[in-house]
Amino acid sequence: MSSLKKTSMLALLIMLLSQTIFAQAVKPERTSPATVAKGAINGAAVTISYSSPAVKGRKIWGELVPYDKTWRAGANEATIFETDKPLKIRGQSLPAGKYSLYAVPGEKSWKIIFNSETGQWGIKRGGETTADPAKNVLTVMAKPMKSASFNERLTYVISKSGFELLWENLAVPVNFK
């Protein structure tokens, strides 16, 4: 084989390898980007890690997110709630740790669920949630209300007294006392 052919084949091989490596390194953007809310609740450092879906002209509550069914409280992987210190929520104790955060939305009240299993995808192929009720650590009720403004993307806001889920025209405050 001539030197020119060897050089050409080597150049072709390098080009193909670099394209393959580049294609694997570049991941497509998710339509529901990963987002993190950080703050302090009653002196505990709290982080909520979630994927933030957009309204995109859809009816969210009661349709995209059905009432009275467990929801992963975000998109993609199950939403994660992490605290570095124990917290009290309406007289109940939540130990320091990492939890999947689920919700059961209702028109007049919501169940907020802290589940000990983490790292799972938020839903199964059939659309039902991956939540294992046997691993629920704490469940509290929250009262939804109309939000002060329209929120195109799902957002969590942490304050010294708790956190609030905001999406579409709805706010769901979860107060820790």
Side-chain angles (χ1 to χ4, degrees), residues 68-85:
D68 304 318
K69 289 184 80 176
T70 304
W71 172 54
R72 60 187 157 182
N76 304 324
E77 298 86 359
T79 295
I80 299 294
F81 180 95
E82 190 169 2
T83 176
D84 71 341
K85 294 180 182 165

Side-chain angles (χ1 to χ4, degrees), residues 62-175:
E63 288 189 19
L64 180 66
V65 178
Y67 289 130
D68 304 318
K69 289 184 80 176
T70 304
W71 172 54
R72 60 187 157 182
N76 304 324
E77 298 86 359
T79 295
I80 299 294
F81 180 95
E82 190 169 2
T83 176
D84 71 341
K85 294 180 182 165
L87 291 167
K88 285 273 191 192
I89 308 172
R90 299 200 175 100
Q92 299 180 67
S93 295
L94 181 68
K98 187 186 270 190
Y99 303 92
S100 287
L101 185 65
Y102 293 99
V104 180
E107 289 185 68
K108 298 196 185 297
S109 67
W110 282 40
K111 286 182 189 173
I112 304 298
I113 303 164
F114 296 85
N115 184 287
S116 64
E117 183 177 18
T118 61
Q120 69 278 18
W121 194 252
I123 57 172
K124 299 175 187 172
R125 287 185 186 262
E128 67 274 7
T129 185
T130 55
D132 179 354
K135 295 182 180 176
N136 290 352
V137 174
L138 180 68
T139 301
V140 295
M141 301 304 291
K143 186 173 175 71
M145 60 183 70
K146 184 168 176 44
S147 59
S149 61
F150 179 81
N151 296 281
E152 176 63 27
R153 289 212 167 268
L154 170 67
T155 304
Y156 284 92
V157 177
I158 299 171
S159 68
K160 63 181 178 182
S161 62
F163 69 86
E164 190 170 39
L165 176 153
L166 301 162
W167 196 20
E168 194 188 42
N169 291 312
L170 194 72
V172 183
V174 179
N175 295 310

